[in-house]
């Protein structure tokens, strides 16, 4: 339990530092982009592994740099591979948050709200993959809210991993494509996620999210009939 507490403090410290020095981090990336692209060209596998690790740790903290991470992935690895690596790191991060949250908060949550959660636990657990997939597909759903779901409910971690990966892949590809098309990482500071989330893109992602919820809805209707 001590190491989990220490890990929590480290992650919070990292979140504060990343938030306070967001502009400095972007400046460092911009100033080092020639070295980064050269390193990726010489050591592609090692660079991909380091990038996934950075995304994993970056998404564990409340660091508001998901857009920058996806953008940088496209700049360094191209739209396809960059999107996949970003989604993989995010999926690992979601599993880490779920595992750590269950260890630290599962018992206190169910001690205080177990009676209220009991009626919905079977349905949420059985359909957890579809719920997480739909929430990840639609980017207006806060990531922290989605991360809390597998902490409260015993959704298998392999389903959390797969749902997060598939759910974040479309948006990751869009942002990675944008990163691949620019000549400088500094351009990430000039483009915000709200500029990427056009009504057309949001409508398409909402349609995919609705499709993800279709299976549990049909299952629920079949059980009632």
């Amino acid at each position: 339990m001590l190491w989990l507490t220490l890990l929590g403090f480290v992650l919070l410290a990292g979140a504060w530092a990343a938030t306070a020095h967001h502009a400095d981090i972007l400046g460092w990336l911009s100033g080092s982009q020639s070295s980064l692209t050269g390193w990726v060209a010489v050591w592609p596998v090692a660079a991909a592994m380091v990038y996934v690790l950075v995304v994993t740790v970056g998404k564990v903290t409340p660091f508001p740099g998901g857009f920058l991470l996806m953008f940088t992935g496209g700049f360094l690895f191209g739209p396809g591979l960059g999107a996949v690596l970003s989604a993989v790191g995010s999926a690992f991060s979601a599993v880490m948050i779920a595992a750590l949250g269950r260890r630290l908060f599962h018992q206190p949550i169910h001690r205080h709200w177990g009676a209220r959660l009991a009626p919905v636990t079977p349905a949420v657990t059985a359909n957890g993959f579809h719920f997480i997939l739909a929430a990840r597909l639609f980017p207006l759903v806060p990531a922290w809210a989605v991360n809390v779901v597998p902490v409260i409910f015993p959704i298998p971690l392999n389903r959390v991993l797969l749902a997060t990966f598939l759910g974040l892949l479309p948006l990751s590809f869009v942002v990675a494509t944008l990163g691949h098309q620019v000549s400088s990482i500094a351009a990430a500071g000039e483009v915000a996620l709200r500029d990427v989330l056009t009504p057309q893109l949001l409508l398409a992602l909402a349609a995919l999210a609705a499709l993800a919820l279709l299976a549990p809805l049909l299952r629920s209707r079949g059980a009632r009939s």
Side-chain angles (χ1 to χ4, degrees), residues 12-189:
L12 287 175
W16 174 84
T19 303
H21 302 285
H22 179 70
D24 294 338
I25 292 173
L26 181 59
W28 178 83
L29 287 173
S30 302
S32 306
Q33 69 175 37
S34 59
S35 300
L36 290 172
T37 52
W39 189 59
V40 169
V42 176
W43 305 100
V45 176
M49 294 175 64
V50 170
Y51 173 75
V52 169
L53 179 61
V54 170
V55 174
T56 300
V57 175
K59 289 295 188 71
V60 166
T61 70
F63 168 42
F67 175 78
L68 175 59
L69 292 171
M70 289 186 286
F71 185 97
T72 305
F75 181 86
L76 294 175
F77 302 100
L81 182 58
V84 170
L85 293 177
S86 174
V88 167
S90 299
F92 286 160
S93 178
V95 170
M96 288 179 61
I97 292 172
L100 185 63
R102 287 177 185 179
R103 183 67 64 90
L104 293 176
F105 304 114
H106 183 80
Q107 290 185 356
I109 288 173
H110 283 265
R111 186 162 54 246
H112 288 88
W113 296 288
R116 297 181 181 180
L117 294 172
V120 299
T121 295
V124 175
T125 303
N127 300 299
F129 171 84
H130 300 280
F131 292 155
I132 294 175
L133 175 60
R136 296 294 189 188
L137 281 167
F138 195 57
L140 296 185
V141 179
W144 64 265
V146 188
N147 289 334
V148 168
V149 174
V151 173
I152 300 175
F153 302 100
I155 302 170
L157 294 181
N158 61 337
R159 297 183 185 179
V160 176
L161 180 77
L162 184 59
T164 303
F165 171 75
L166 294 176
L168 290 178
L169 199 55
L171 182 61
S172 296
F173 179 77
V174 171
V175 179
T177 300
L178 179 63
H180 179 65
Q181 292 173 345
V182 301
S183 59
S184 171
I185 296 178

